[in-house]
Structures are given as structure tokens and as C-alpha cells.
Amino acid sequence: LPFCVLMIDIDHFKRINDSYGHPLGDRVLVQVSTFLCEAVGTHGRVSRIGGEEFAVLCPMLGAEAGMRLAETLRAGVAGLPLSSKVGPERVTVSIGVAVFDALRHNDLDGWMRAADAALYAAKSSGRDCAVAAAAVD
């Protein structure tokens, strides 16, 4: 059975906190996390890893479906109507997607490293995009 993990990071979040203050940054976190949970629905579980980073674990989701979900999440966050009149015009996310592959990942740590490498590739590609770990290997 396929298992997919998405690592999601809010782009330029420090700039949001520094420019608009931590209370607005907290509201952005709540809006993004609420959207992620609603959009993922029964396809998986959303967890905040720390700061502005989230993980989505999706059992029964393969590579193509994982990338489709990642694109849905990316576009949805970019289209969020932010509740504050004073703040960033829009928020974007970068996403790394990795399907568990016992031949390439010996354990959970290796799987998460693959997803993290894909996330950093998304950030290096200009942000506001999703990258598959298979494309990074």
C-alpha cells in the first residue's frame, strides 16, 4: 500500500511576523492550518511540526495523487482570503512530497529526509510550488 507524506512550509513567514507582528502571524497560522485540515479531509492527517512547518501523512495515496493533493493545497493557500486588512496580500507555501519506498528509505527518518529534501528543492525553485522527492533523488 502506498503512503505519502507532504512537508509544507509557509513561505517567508519570518517576514510576516517581523513586518506585521506576531498576533497577525498567529492568525495566518490558524487560517492556513484550518484550510489544510479541511482540504486534506479524510485523505490524511495534518500535523504542525513546529513554527510554520506542517506535515501531512496520507495512507493509501501514491505519487500522482500525492502531487495532486499538494497542488490543491498550494493553490488553496495562495487563494486564501486573509482576514486582516493590515497584513500580507497573500500567503504561499512550498511543499515536498515523498512516497514511502522500502528500497530507497530504510526507515521513517529516511522517508522524512526525502520529503524535507523535496521541500527545500521547492524553496530553491522560487517557492509557491510542490516538488516530488523522486525528482530530487
Side-chain angles (χ1 to χ4, degrees), residues 24 27-28 31 80-86 88:
L24 187 123
R27 285 199 297 273
V28 167
Q31 283 182 280
L80 281 176
L82 299 179
S83 62
S84 174
K85 299 286 187 226
V86 179

Side-chain angles (χ1 to χ4, degrees), residues 122-134:
K123 290 210 166 276
S124 296
S125 297
R127 297 181 166 81
D128 190 23
C129 65
V131 171

Side-chain angles (χ1 to χ4, degrees), residues 50-61:
E52 69 278 9
E53 193 168 19
F54 299 86
V56 181
L57 179 62
C58 301
M60 310 287 280
L61 223 56

Side-chain angles (χ1 to χ4, degrees), residues 18-76:
D18 291 349
S19 299
Y20 304 106
H22 289 272
L24 187 123
D26 290 346
R27 285 199 297 273
V28 167
L29 283 172
V30 168
Q31 283 182 280
V32 169
S33 62
T34 299
F35 168 76
L36 292 175
C37 289
E38 290 171 356
V40 169
T42 60
H43 295 293
R45 294 277 184 214
V46 178
S47 293
R48 183 176 174 204
I49 294 179
E52 69 278 9
E53 193 168 19
F54 299 86
V56 181
L57 179 62
C58 301
M60 310 287 280
L61 223 56
E64 288 180 27
M67 285 302 292
R68 280 194 306 272
L69 177 61
E71 181 54 29
T72 297
L73 299 178
R74 185 212 59 77

